[in-house]
Amino acid sequence: MGMSIDNVRGLVMAVSSSIFIGSSFIIKKKGLKKAGATGTRAGQGGHSYLYEPWWWAGMITMIVGEIANFAAYAYAPAVLVTPLGALSIIFSAVLAHFILEERLHIFGVLGCALCVVGSTTIVLHAPQERNIESVKEVWQLATEPGFLAYTLLILILVAVLIFRYVPRYGQTHLIVYVGICSLMGSLTVMGVKAVGIALKLSFSGMNQFKYYETWVFTFVVTFCCLLQVNYLNKALDTFNTAVISPVYYVMFTTFTIIASMIMFKEWDSQAAADIATELCGFVTILAGTFLLHKTKDMGKSPSVRSPVFTSPDLNPTPDSK
């Protein structure tokens, strides 16, 4: 089964989005480091980064990427769009090596390659976009008991993380900040898809902004995005960018695919072989991100002599022991 025109459009926009978002991680991290040198760090509750031009440049880059991502969800199913975020891992990891001096080892490249292979597998077997003619149809899907239960569970988990675990483990356990961003991100994507569909239909002559449901989805997107930006800033300022990107990607993709399956029931129209192949592709992505995480510090050890990118002043010499 070939890809539809809408799926191709979504694919192109998703790839463009990954390039911009992957770059924005590095630009924002550079701004956060500069701001932290002169004021209270974001990881400690400071907001001095708001006065840093580099941080704003990163935000603008991320906004451009998110707009492209926003458009991608309007044309293609989340199962196709979300896995392509693996490309942002590659861009952020490589740029982090050159700009932030967070070294990328040979196994890091292998991890990135696995992410790309897994994403490609999912893209080739992704379901076609569901034909929706009104935002009211999306509202009906969002208010079904299954998705309402999922939403309630996500909100409870996020509240527990924010009020119980952030004060205790936020500075030492990456999973706390990233977990908040990922959980809320799955709701953000569902809202983005709804608003994107409303915009697409409105541009085609069927105004969807006359319905209150469109504005509810817009409010959900705004609230979730603000919460995500806040805790993503804390994560970037506290932990290694090359680790944040893959871990965030895995968690965000997992919860988004689960939310999409519950709300849009995208697997209902697919054969078992296609679903199995998509799951294999996702496992490949998990393997790649796990490899990136486990080998993140290999380039820092003097005993390791095979980094992908080397600098003469960083290579150990035979006499240095």
Side-chain angles (χ1 to χ4, degrees), residues 158-201:
V158 168
V160 171
L161 286 173
I162 291 175
F163 296 109
R164 181 176 177 82
Y165 289 100
V166 165
R168 298 181 181 183
Y169 307 111
Q171 296 294 310
T172 56
H173 292 69
L174 178 146
I175 200 70
V176 176
Y177 290 147
V178 175
I180 294 171
C181 295
S182 302
L183 290 166
M184 293 304 296
S186 66
L187 299 182
T188 303
V189 169
M190 297 303 101
V192 163
K193 190 166 181 63
V195 177
I197 290 172
L199 285 170
K200 183 176 71 172
L201 293 173

Side-chain angles (χ1 to χ4, degrees), residues 1 7 73 76-82 125-130 132 141 189-190 193 197 256-271 274-275 278:
M1 180 175 64
N7 274 23
Y73 281 113
V79 175
L80 186 153
V81 175
T82 307
H125 295 270
Q128 301 297 330
E129 173 69 334
R130 182 173 184 154
I132 294 178
L141 294 172
V189 169
M190 297 303 101
K193 190 166 181 63
I197 290 172
T256 298
I257 290 177
I258 292 173
S260 184
M261 291 303 102
I262 295 174
M263 181 171 170
F264 290 97
K265 304 175 179 63
E266 292 165 340
W267 278 349
D268 288 357
S269 61
Q270 286 193 289
D274 287 327
I275 296 174
E278 289 173 26

Side-chain angles (χ1 to χ4, degrees), residues 65-76:
E66 292 295 349
I67 291 174
N69 201 42
F70 186 98
Y73 281 113
Y75 287 98

Side-chain angles (χ1 to χ4, degrees), residues 15 17-23 25 84-94 245 249:
V15 172
S17 171
S18 293
I19 294 173
F20 281 105
I21 292 176
S23 302
F25 274 97
L84 290 177
L87 293 178
S88 66
I89 297 175
I90 297 174
F91 280 98
S92 62
V94 173
S245 296
Y249 169 76

Side-chain angles (χ1 to χ4, degrees), residues 105-122:
H105 194 270
I106 184 63
F107 292 108
V109 172
L110 179 58
C112 290
L114 287 173
C115 290
V116 172
V117 170
S119 295
T120 303
T121 302
I122 292 176

Side-chain angles (χ1 to χ4, degrees), residues 21-262:
I21 292 176
S23 302
S24 74
F25 274 97
I26 307 306
I27 300 173
K28 286 174 66 178
K29 179 64 177 281
K30 189 174 180 66
L32 289 168
K33 290 178 70 174
K34 292 186 68 175
T38 57
T40 305
R41 296 175 54 189
Q44 298 175 344
H47 295 88
S48 58
Y49 58 84
L50 293 175
Y51 302 97
E52 178 54 52
W54 275 100
W55 185 84
W56 283 108
M59 275 301 299
I60 293 172
T61 305
M62 176 170 279
I63 289 171
V64 172
E66 292 295 349
I67 291 174
N69 201 42
F70 186 98
Y73 281 113
Y75 287 98
V79 175
L80 186 153
V81 175
T82 307
L84 290 177
L87 293 178
S88 66
I89 297 175
I90 297 174
F91 280 98
S92 62
V94 173
L95 290 176
H97 170 85
F98 289 111
I99 298 176
L100 302 179
E101 298 182 355
E102 297 176 1
R103 303 184 69 189
L104 180 64
H105 194 270
I106 184 63
F107 292 108
V109 172
L110 179 58
C112 290
L114 287 173
C115 290
V116 172
V117 170
S119 295
T120 303
T121 302
I122 292 176
V123 167
L124 293 176
H125 295 270
Q128 301 297 330
E129 173 69 334
R130 182 173 184 154
N131 185 27
I132 294 178
E133 298 180 354
S134 171
V135 74
K136 285 183 171 294
E137 293 183 37
V138 184
W139 180 260
Q140 291 175 354
L141 294 172
T143 53
E144 289 184 354
F147 189 73
L148 288 177
Y150 173 82
T151 301
L152 180 61
L153 177 62
I154 292 298
L155 294 177
I156 291 174
L157 289 174
V158 168
V160 171
L161 286 173
I162 291 175
F163 296 109
R164 181 176 177 82
Y165 289 100
V166 165
R168 298 181 181 183
Y169 307 111
Q171 296 294 310
T172 56
H173 292 69
L174 178 146
I175 200 70
V176 176
Y177 290 147
V178 175
I180 294 171
C181 295
S182 302
L183 290 166
M184 293 304 296
S186 66
L187 299 182
T188 303
V189 169
M190 297 303 101
V192 163
K193 190 166 181 63
V195 177
I197 290 172
L199 285 170
K200 183 176 71 172
L201 293 173
S202 297
F203 288 143
S204 66
M206 296 179 287
N207 182 22
Q208 300 296 303
F209 286 87
K210 63 183 179 182
Y211 303 123
Y212 77 89
E213 290 91 345
T214 302
W215 296 103
V216 173
F217 284 127
T218 302
F219 171 78
V220 169
V221 171
T222 303
F223 173 77
C224 292
C225 282
L226 290 175
L227 192 66
Q228 283 180 260
V229 168
N230 180 50
Y231 285 98
L232 184 57
N233 281 331
K234 293 178 182 293
L236 284 171
D237 191 52
T238 308
F239 303 99
N240 190 310
T241 308
V243 180
I244 293 174
S245 296
V247 174
Y248 177 50
Y249 169 76
V250 169
M251 295 185 65
F252 171 73
T253 302
T254 301
F255 288 119
T256 298
I257 290 177
I258 292 173
S260 184
M261 291 303 102
I262 295 174

